Amino acid sequence: PVVALPARVEAIGPRRARVALLTGCVQQALSPGINRAALEVLAANGVEVLIPAGQGCCGSLGFHAGELDRARALARVNLHTFPKDVDAVLTTAAGCGSGMKAYDVLFAGQPEAVEAAIFAQHVQDVSEFLAALGLIAPPALATPTRVAYHDACHLGHAQGVSAAPRRLLAAVPGLELVEIPEGDLCCGSAGTYNLEQPTLAAALGERKARNILATGAQALAAGNIGCLVQITTHLKRLNRPLPLWHTFEVLARAYRREPVH
């Protein structure tokens, strides 16, 4: 069940930063534990987090589909809702982040062009932000675990964020980080692609699942809800399910001394 998030989460210990979090619509419905994990990890690292109550959909799906008027209408809500006096606007969903970082393009020639460009410059993926701030290393995993990291296209390709999540995961004692063959290949989720082109998306999903299994990983981490849903589906179809986590769920479980496989 979806659990309402608080309006504010205080930093634990000395405050190192103050940010605002976009909760996301699909992710908050399908996997609300991702945002809870992010809040927990950020607080443990001295980050105060604001969760604006009036926020809505970021508009990225409409933007990617060329429905620009609809995307702008949704994005305007967030432009007016998110506070200006924070160090960054964070998102835990790569699809949302890639769209929000391009608000300057979305609003080019519009009355909100300057406001949108400033907003876009403040958007960061949560892994990008914490890696730059500096992770306070969690305790060692109770059981050494081999974890594969999947580059979501909207994070690795669209945003150029690939080293940061790997640095965070590699900082967990007892976690062996492994690379996936053809790691830059799409898993087939791609926003709404798996709905619009189900045959091609399924072929990509199976290929990704087989490549993950080839690593011998005991769990998988990724930074996008669409990828996690797609890969889960295809691992199950191969009768080889694995625990799949958002990067920050892995970190949260490490801080709690809980296993990840």
Side-chain angles (χ1 to χ4, degrees), residues 130-176:
L130 186 55
L133 183 67
L135 178 74
I136 298 172
L141 295 178
T143 305
T145 306
R146 173 177 282 195
V147 178
Y149 176 75
H150 163 70
D151 281 294
C153 292
H154 278 122
L155 191 56
H157 295 318
Q159 299 183 53
V161 176
S162 59
R166 286 175 169 82
R167 285 204 305 271
L168 295 175
L169 292 168
V172 179
L175 188 153
E176 178 190 355

Side-chain angles (χ1 to χ4, degrees), residues 39-195:
L39 292 173
E40 184 178 336
V41 172
L42 289 168
N45 280 272
V47 182
E48 177 187 357
V49 187
L50 308 179
I51 302 97
Q55 65 176 287
C57 174
C58 65
S60 292
L61 284 177
F63 188 9
H64 298 155
E67 298 177 0
L68 300 186
D69 289 340
R70 182 165 177 254
R72 289 190 193 108
L74 293 168
R76 281 189 185 99
V77 174
N78 291 323
L79 287 181
H80 300 150
T81 299
F82 274 77
K84 308 293 191 290
D85 60 341
V86 291
D87 298 308
V89 173
L90 302 185
T91 173
T92 51
C96 299
S98 66
M100 292 164 68
K101 285 184 176 181
Y103 272 6
D104 56 336
V105 177
L106 180 62
F107 284 96
Q110 302 292 314
E112 303 91 348
V114 172
E115 182 183 6
I118 294 171
F119 184 93
Q121 291 173 359
H122 279 80
V123 175
Q124 293 187 49
D125 183 78
V126 67
S127 66
E128 177 184 19
F129 175 82
L130 186 55
L133 183 67
L135 178 74
I136 298 172
L141 295 178
T143 305
T145 306
R146 173 177 282 195
V147 178
Y149 176 75
H150 163 70
D151 281 294
C153 292
H154 278 122
L155 191 56
H157 295 318
Q159 299 183 53
V161 176
S162 59
R166 286 175 169 82
R167 285 204 305 271
L168 295 175
L169 292 168
V172 179
L175 188 153
E176 178 190 355
L177 189 62
V178 296
E179 294 296 327
I180 301 169
E182 298 183 310
D184 59 352
L185 186 70
C186 179
C187 70
S189 176
T192 57
Y193 186 78
N194 57 349
L195 302 176

Side-chain angles (χ1 to χ4, degrees), residues 199-232:
T199 302
L200 289 173
L204 286 169
E206 180 179 344
R207 186 167 172 176
K208 177 64 68 173
R210 291 188 183 280
N211 281 331
I212 291 166
L213 293 171
T215 68
Q218 297 161 291
L220 179 119
N224 191 51
I225 183 62
C227 300
L228 292 171
V229 171
Q230 173 82 344
I231 294 169
T232 295

